[in-house]
Amino acid sequence: MDYINAFWVGGLICALVQILLEKTTLLPGRVMVILVCLGAVLGAVGLYEPLINYAGAGASVPLLGFGNTLWKGVKEAVDQNGVLGLFMGGLKASAVGISAALIFSYLASWIFEPKMKDQ
């Protein structure tokens, strides 16, 4: 049942974002920023953690989950280090995901021939 819950929650998040992209004039970069900020806000008010407990990767993998991870890291770092935690908490909590994205994109650039988009 965990797989089914992850599938439908993750699919619903993706479908809602696709509808947002189709029905508004928002650019994809702005929508991604909105999702990260929304995940942080939902985490701050305590609504996103129950969703992660229910849907697992279906809720933690999308950008909403990244925003929630940043929020949790900042919260823990502020509790431990005070104001300095504002600057280090998010990066410390998301370092593995950011590093993986950089490493895999670099490897993909070796495998595939990167091209600049003609404008």
Side-chain angles (χ1 to χ4, degrees):
M1 196 64 184
D2 290 338
Y3 294 122
I4 293 171
N5 290 337
F7 179 78
W8 80 262
V9 170
L12 180 64
I13 291 170
C14 292
L16 291 173
V17 171
Q18 188 63 42
I19 291 169
L20 182 67
L21 285 168
E22 298 284 332
K23 299 294 182 187
T24 66
T25 59
L26 291 173
L27 297 173
R30 292 183 185 203
V31 172
M32 291 191 314
V33 170
I34 289 169
L35 290 172
V36 172
C37 293
L38 183 61
V41 169
L42 290 173
V45 297
L47 295 176
Y48 207 72
E49 196 64 34
L51 185 62
I52 290 176
N53 292 337
Y54 175 74
S60 63
V61 171
L63 283 174
L64 290 167
F66 181 69
N68 183 55
T69 300
L70 290 175
W71 160 251
K72 287 194 303 189
V74 168
K75 182 180 178 219
E76 290 174 11
V78 167
D79 290 344
Q80 292 176 357
N81 303 316
V83 177
L84 187 60
L86 288 172
F87 303 104
M88 60 188 269
L91 291 174
K92 188 175 179 184
S94 62
V96 173
I98 293 170
S99 298
L102 290 172
I103 290 167
F104 289 125
S105 62
Y106 184 68
L107 291 175
S109 74
W110 274 8
I111 297 169
F112 304 102
E113 186 178 334
K115 298 176 187 167
M116 293 300 291
K117 193 173 187 179
D118 292 330
Q119 294 187 17

